[in-house]
């Protein structure tokens, strides 16, 4: 069992609305179900890691005025609560899930954070690092008033303690965070294309971008590609995974499940192929329902068996690299 800290600077209550059919914008739509979950990327990652048996602490910046669902979820999942409370309400993100598998995210900007809260968060992270951690995951967007340098400042502190730091964010925060060289990063293809400054629509372009980061000192570059699967540059080698066929209910949290499954395998010392097969199967499991992946799903072994992992040349110009 590893001691893991996940940092969610901009958590959210996810309001998931399941439409019976296809949504019609500008009209009255009757929904099949609605639910609210305490979420945000780092909290989703923590939920999976706790299910996998790890000792998980969650921290970040949480609105004091609507914390009840979070506190209840942390207790139910066995997560240690080290969130800094800030005045106001945590944002509500809307997830519209349609019968055909399409999901639309409406994500709010988040709270305006006073400088004192960020200082309190740094102090809390320092204390947790001093007490001993095996890995830290920094996930999600930045709320208002938080400098773009925050993820890189956190990574620098974490590295000073020789603790691996994994980063999953987007836009300018990703660009700034990558410069601090986290040990692992999990962008999706659009997020990495933003960083690269050009579309990553071919396998070679994706491999080239992943390799650039890997050569730059980021040990694990885990590029998620939605239903196409995963490309993982690690240890001087590239692996790809193709998920098993599943019927999609909600892809929200699939990337968080993939990251958590990968970190679990890496911290368990598994061979890379085994890590990627497990994490990809767990991410596929997650899209079949609302919420993160369930390692205890009755058919998980079948999903696992139908996940294809291939080892490829790291040279994007090598003709045989395309899976
Ligand atoms: N339709 C699908 N079928 C099977 N697996 C899927 C499907 N969609 C996503 N996955 C798995 O989940 C992983 C993560 O998905 P994706 O690339 O959409 O992450 P993401 O954009 O970070 O998502 P999020 O931010 O909502 O968690 C993929 O790499 C893939 O392994
Ligand atoms: O707005 P961000 O911080 O980029 O993403 C937030 C979010 O979409 O990410 C999770 C899924 O990965 C959801 O639980 C949450 O609403």
């Amino acid at each position: 069992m590893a001691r893991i800290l996940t940092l969610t600077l901009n958590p959210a209550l996810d309001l998931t609305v399941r439409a019976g059919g296809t949504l019609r914008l500008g009209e009255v739509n009757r929904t099949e179900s609605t639910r609210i979950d305490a979420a945000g990327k780092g909290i989703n990652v923590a939920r999976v890691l706790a299910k996998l048996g790890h000792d998980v602490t969650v921290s970040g910046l949480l609105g004091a005025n609507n914390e009840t669902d979070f506190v209840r979820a942390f207790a139910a999942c066995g997560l240690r609560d080290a969130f800094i409370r800030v005045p106001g309400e945590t944002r509500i993100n809307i997830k519209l899930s349609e019968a055909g598998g399409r999901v639309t995210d409406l994500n709010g900007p988040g709270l305006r954070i006073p400088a004192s809260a960020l200082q309190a968060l740094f102090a809390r992270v320092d204390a947790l690092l001093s007490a001993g951690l095996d890995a830290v995951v920094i996930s999600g967007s930045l709320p208002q008033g938080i400098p773009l340098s925050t993820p890189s400042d956190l990574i620098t502190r974490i590295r000073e303690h020789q603790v691996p730091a994994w980063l999953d964010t987007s836009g300018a925060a990703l660009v700034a965070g990558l410069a601090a060289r986290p040990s692992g990063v999990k962008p999706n293809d659009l997020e990495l294309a933003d960083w690269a400054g050009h579309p990553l629509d071919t396998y070679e372009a994706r491999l080239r971008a992943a390799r650039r980061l890997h050569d730059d000192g980021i040990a694990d570059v885990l590029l998620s590609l939605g239903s196409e699967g995963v490309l993982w540059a690690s240890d001087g080698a590239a692996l790809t995974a193709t998920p098993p066929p599943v019927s999609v209910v909600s892809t929200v949290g699939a990337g968080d499940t993939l990251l958590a499954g990968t970190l679990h395998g890496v911290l368990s010392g598994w061979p890379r192929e085994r890590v990627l097969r497990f994490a990809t199967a767990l991410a596929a499991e997650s899209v079949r329902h609302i919420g993160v992946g369930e390692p205890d799903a009755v058919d998980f072994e079948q999903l696992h068996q139908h996940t294809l992992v291939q080892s490829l040349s790291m040279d994007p110009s090598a003709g045989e690299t395309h899976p």
Side-chain angles (χ1 to χ4, degrees):
M1 180 210 279
R3 296 154 305 169
I4 303 164
L5 169 65
T6 74
L7 294 173
T8 315
L9 301 185
N10 204 6
L13 285 170
D14 281 357
L15 168 60
T16 308
V17 179
R18 183 110 173 95
T22 304
L23 278 169
R24 294 180 307 277
L25 291 180
E27 294 183 30
V28 173
N29 292 262
R30 302 287 166 192
T31 62
E32 214 167 63
S33 64
T34 53
R35 60 182 260 185
I36 291 192
D37 293 285
K41 292 191 192 300
I43 294 173
N44 297 342
V45 170
R47 284 176 183 268
V48 180
L49 288 168
K51 282 177 206 265
L52 291 167
H54 298 284
D55 176 353
V56 189
T57 301
V58 286
S59 187
L61 301 160
L62 191 63
N65 297 2
N66 61 345
E67 63 167 20
T68 312
D69 284 337
F70 289 93
V71 172
R72 200 178 291 137
F74 299 158
C77 300
L79 302 172
R80 294 176 202 271
D81 177 4
F83 267 92
I84 303 294
R85 269 39 175 198
V86 293
E89 295 196 342
T90 296
R91 64 185 170 152
I92 298 174
N93 286 349
I94 300 170
K95 313 290 168 181
L96 300 171
S97 155
E98 294 170 84
R102 185 170 70 163
V103 181
T104 304
D105 290 60
L106 300 172
N107 288 4
L111 279 165
R112 182 157 291 282
I113 305 296
S116 58
L118 188 57
Q119 289 319 310
L121 178 64
F122 282 133
R124 188 151 298 176
V125 170
D126 285 343
L128 290 164
L129 284 164
S130 300
L133 287 170
D134 298 306
V136 181
V137 179
I138 305 167
S139 281
S141 59
L142 302 182
Q144 302 178 75
I146 290 285
L148 274 179
S149 58
T150 304
S152 52
D153 292 345
L154 286 165
I155 292 163
T156 305
R157 285 175 128 88
I158 297 161
R159 282 172 53 125
E160 277 165 11
H161 284 79
Q162 279 85 48
V163 174
W166 282 66
L167 178 68
D168 177 9
T169 185
S170 49
L174 174 65
V175 174
L178 289 174
R181 296 205 178 74
S183 18
V185 63
K186 196 231 67 73
N188 63 30
D189 47 343
L190 296 176
E191 292 160 349
L192 196 61
D194 252 10
W195 166 83
H198 54 81
L200 299 180
D201 40 17
T202 64
Y203 174 76
E204 286 72 19
R206 293 165 180 170
L207 182 59
R208 203 169 284 119
R211 196 186 150 160
R212 243 177 84 194
L213 290 174
H214 187 57
D215 290 350
D216 226 29
I218 299 178
D220 291 292
V221 181
L222 187 67
L223 175 56
S224 71
L225 303 166
S227 58
E228 284 184 63
V230 190
L231 169 61
W232 186 18
S234 154
D235 229 1
L239 292 176
T240 60
T242 308
V246 285
S247 76
V248 179
V249 170
S250 169
T251 52
V252 176
D256 307 327
T257 300
L258 178 74
L259 196 169
T262 304
L263 187 56
H264 170 67
V266 168
L267 291 172
S268 304
W270 294 350
R272 302 272 138 167
E273 287 80 0
R274 178 177 172 194
V275 175
L276 188 58
R277 189 184 307 279
F278 172 80
T280 307
L282 194 55
E285 199 294 314
S286 77
V287 308
R288 305 187 302 180
H289 52 81
I290 293 162
V292 293
E294 189 45 78
D296 292 331
V298 282
D299 60 346
F300 185 66
E301 192 43 44
Q302 272 161 272
L303 293 177
H304 203 242
Q305 277 169 17
H306 290 99
T307 302
L308 178 69
V309 173
Q310 285 174 284
S311 176
L312 298 155
S313 164
M314 270 288 255
D315 177 2
S317 61
E320 83 283 12
T321 55
H322 205 294

